[in-house]
Amino acid sequence: MTGTTPALDRRHVPADLPTRIQHYIDGAFVDSVDGDTFDVLEPVSNEVYVQAAAGKKADIDLAVAAATRAFTEGPWPKMLPRERSRVLHKIADIVESRDKRLAELESFDSGLPISQALGQARRAAENFRFFADLIVAQADDTFKVPGRQINYVNRKPIGVAGLITPWNTPFMLESWKLGPALATGNTVVLKPAEFTPLSASLWAGIFEEAGLPAGVFNLVNGLGEDAGDALVKHPDVPLISFTGESSTGQLIFGNAAPYLKGLSMELGGKSPAVVFADADLDAAIDATIFGVFSLNGERCTAGSRILVQRDVYDEFVQKYAAQAKRVKVGYPHDPATEVGALVHPEHYDKVMSYVEIGKTEGRLVAGGGQPSGFEFGNFVAPTVFADVAPEARIFQEEIFGPVVAITPFNTDEEALALANNTKYGLAAYIWTNDLKRAHNFSQAVEAGMVWLNSNNVRDLRTPFGGVKASGLGHEGGYRSIDFYTDQQAVHITLGAVHNPTFGKQGR
């Protein structure tokens, strides 16, 4: 990186930034046991703006011990669902009332455009409100055999949930796990991503104000190989919910196996957007532009492989490239910005390496480097490659940035083969006005979630998760309730007991 002075001149620094970021254990902010810290960068200047406590095994041990005490001795797991619901609604109210401040800090820390960070803050509030309502409305199964037996399901919180969250839209994704984990009566230890610890540090004050008992929520910052690894391997943490890349998910799977932990893992994606010739082309272009360039392209469900039927391929590529060139790259704090700065120089270097690879694997029709006027920081122009072969790395591998590959197809069968031709299977987007094709294709595509003639708009009641290398298990709606609770079957005899008799005397 060169020329950081313009970035220093133009970056927007929020007021009252913390001078340090600590852990939060058993209701108190604390430093690491060994006093260690790590640097946190902001992505416009790539300069250190704060130091965060670097958690290790000793810090995780303290946090798990506090969470265990809160679970076994505290009131939270024993509260009526309505009582817990009231606390969660207060949390949602507080988050909503502070959405602009949350968005400002999130945008500064992660490089997300401020307008999109604001939407993520509001979604975080809705996550808590949704599970506050769901836990009260929840109905469990009862099975009757008239005059003989009643069988019912009793759900119980499991214990300490270990939550490991990523650096893209961190506050919202933390709420996605914290909401159901707390609603069901568990206690938690959160390990946020080391690139973006700023917004996570706000949860403690929000929870205290809402009346969450001490020890129910604990937070340990640190590197994945230190704090994250210790959390996964801790014998008193029966649940791990992880969102991140597939290779890290494989490590967690192996490290959790000796303890037979419950695992929910939402991993990587290389999702296809399939555009048939009969589709509304303008709507498909708008949706696929947004689908890969929003959130700076740092989104697991990005439709980063666009498959277009050859009849409309040239027209699609021409219009798509022209619109991609008009996407506004800018400073994260600018409300007009559509693509901001990537989160960290390490990630920027990764994305730019794929851009260079793409120049040898496809036809560059937009972007391809840093945008004009931003020759510093982690800015990448929205980049579009056409005529990409299915064996190309930019077709097969998750880039996690504002880079898209476009590939032509002729028949429905070829489109399906291309769509399924990666190790991932998180999302798919299908654009067609043929109803029969829409349903048949969506049911045949290897993806945990499918959107027909739609951008990524998800009802919170629906399951979220992928297949193949994109994940293990599902969360969202009742699937989250399933993951964070034990389901105990209780059987009651109503009539005469009918037992086979072994060893009876006097036969």
Side-chain angles (χ1 to χ4, degrees):
M1 303 287 171
T2 60
T4 59
T5 301
L8 291 172
D9 292 342
R10 296 185 180 96
R11 68 178 180 172
H12 171 75
V13 181
D16 301 321
L17 277 178
T19 56
R20 58 177 178 161
I21 294 175
Q22 296 175 287
H23 310 308
Y24 182 77
I25 298 174
D26 206 14
F29 287 101
V30 296
D31 292 324
S32 293
V33 171
D34 64 2
D36 198 10
T37 62
F38 63 92
D39 294 336
V40 183
L41 312 182
E42 61 87 12
V44 170
S45 71
N46 280 327
E47 292 212 341
V48 176
Y49 77 90
V50 74
Q51 290 192 321
K56 310 277 192 345
K57 182 179 182 300
D59 305 290
I60 290 292
D61 287 345
L62 290 174
V64 173
T68 301
R69 284 193 302 273
F71 185 77
T72 58
E73 303 171 14
W76 187 249
K78 304 175 185 68
M79 285 184 180
L80 294 174
R82 174 65 72 186
E83 294 174 318
R84 289 199 298 269
S85 175
R86 290 192 182 102
V87 176
L88 267 65
H89 273 297
K90 288 180 183 177
I91 293 169
D93 291 341
I94 295 168
V95 171
E96 281 182 348
S97 71
R98 299 177 187 172
D99 57 356
K100 291 181 175 59
R101 173 64 172 172
L102 288 165
E104 181 185 40
L105 295 180
E106 188 94 305
S107 177
F108 176 79
D109 195 30
S110 70
L112 284 178
I114 185 67
S115 60
Q116 296 168 40
L118 185 61
Q120 296 298 312
R122 291 168 179 166
R123 184 71 164 194
E126 181 59 24
N127 283 334
F128 273 93
R129 204 170 299 289
F130 174 82
F131 285 105
D133 291 338
L134 187 63
I135 200 67
V136 174
Q138 175 190 315
D140 291 319
D141 294 326
T142 301
F143 307 94
K144 302 175 183 177
V145 183
R148 296 183 62 182
Q149 195 176 54
I150 291 178
N151 313 271
Y152 68 89
V153 176
N154 176 41
R155 288 182 182 270
K156 301 191 294 184
I158 296 174
V160 180
L163 312 179
I164 303 175
T165 52
W167 45 256
N168 61 317
T169 64
F171 192 80
M172 190 280 290
L173 288 176
E174 288 152 10
S175 75
W176 195 339
K177 300 178 188 298
L178 287 165
L182 295 174
T184 48
N186 297 283
T187 59
V188 302
V189 176
L190 171 66
K191 206 298 284 184
E194 55 264 34
F195 284 176
T196 54
L198 181 59
S199 60
S201 67
L202 303 178
W203 283 118
I206 292 169
F207 289 154
E208 286 183 6
E209 187 174 336
L212 193 72
V216 173
F217 168 76
N218 303 272
L219 181 150
V220 177
N221 295 291
L223 306 183
E225 54 266 34
D226 295 326
D229 185 64
L231 185 59
V232 169
K233 293 177 179 176
H234 200 291
D236 295 331
V237 179
L239 292 174
I240 296 291
S241 178
F242 169 75
T243 299
E245 62 176 356
S246 299
S247 58
T248 306
Q250 290 175 319
L251 290 173
I252 290 174
F253 190 94
N255 289 334
Y259 307 97
L260 299 176
K261 294 175 186 274
L263 291 176
S264 177
M265 295 197 289
E266 191 268 285
L267 307 176
K270 192 70 178 178
S271 299
V274 185
V275 182
F276 289 93
D278 66 343
D280 180 336
L281 212 59
D282 289 336
I285 288 171
D286 278 345
T288 50
I289 287 276
F290 180 82
V292 76
F293 298 132
S294 60
L295 305 181
N296 299 344
E298 298 165 326
R299 56 186 306 166
C300 54
T301 55
S304 54
R305 294 182 297 136
I306 305 179
L307 313 176
V308 184
Q309 199 156 26
R310 200 172 293 275
D311 302 25
V312 294
Y313 180 77
D314 290 340
E315 179 185 1
F316 183 95
V317 170
Q318 180 182 4
K319 288 183 174 180
Y320 192 96
Q323 189 161 330
K325 292 174 183 176
R326 296 194 296 269
V327 172
K328 180 173 175 52
V329 180
Y331 297 104
H333 70 275
D334 184 348
T337 293
E338 294 170 325
V339 172
L342 300 189
V343 67
H344 193 276
E346 286 181 19
H347 185 60
Y348 170 87
D349 289 342
K350 173 194 169 184
V351 171
M352 288 302 292
S353 73
Y354 274 107
V355 170
E356 294 307 309
I357 291 168
K359 291 175 182 177
T360 69
E361 294 185 331
R363 174 166 58 96
L364 179 66
V365 294
Q370 286 188 315
S372 176
F374 292 89
E375 291 77 21
F376 52 83
N378 306 324
F379 295 94
V380 177
T383 298
V384 183
F385 293 102
D387 309 339
V388 178
E391 63 272 13
R393 288 184 64 187
I394 62 169
F395 186 97
Q396 292 288 337
E397 299 175 16
E398 185 178 39
I399 300 173
F400 220 65
V403 182
V404 66
I406 308 179
T407 301
F409 69 87
N410 292 303
T411 65
D412 290 30
E413 293 76 16
E414 184 184 2
L416 183 63
L418 287 169
N420 292 340
N421 184 24
T422 71
K423 67 179 182 179
Y424 298 106
L426 188 57
Y429 307 88
I430 315 302
W431 289 87
T432 179
N433 283 314
D434 184 322
L435 183 63
K436 180 179 177 182
R437 168 195 280 155
H439 285 291
N440 286 334
F441 198 98
S442 66
Q443 292 175 31
V445 73
E446 294 170 351
M449 298 168 289
V450 181
W451 280 268
L452 296 173
N453 298 322
S454 170
N455 182 35
N456 181 337
V457 179
R458 192 178 74 87
D459 189 308
L460 290 178
R461 294 170 293 181
T462 60
F464 187 102
V467 299
K468 301 195 292 189
S470 287
L472 176 70
H474 290 81
E475 294 189 36
Y478 278 109
R479 274 70 173 190
S480 292
I481 304 298
D482 287 342
F483 177 69
Y484 289 106
T485 57
D486 278 328
Q487 298 180 52
Q488 179 188 60
V490 180
H491 307 275
I492 306 165
T493 297
L494 299 178
V497 179
H498 179 71
N499 288 331
T501 302
F502 281 17
K504 187 174 182 179
Q505 295 180 351
R507 282 186 176 176

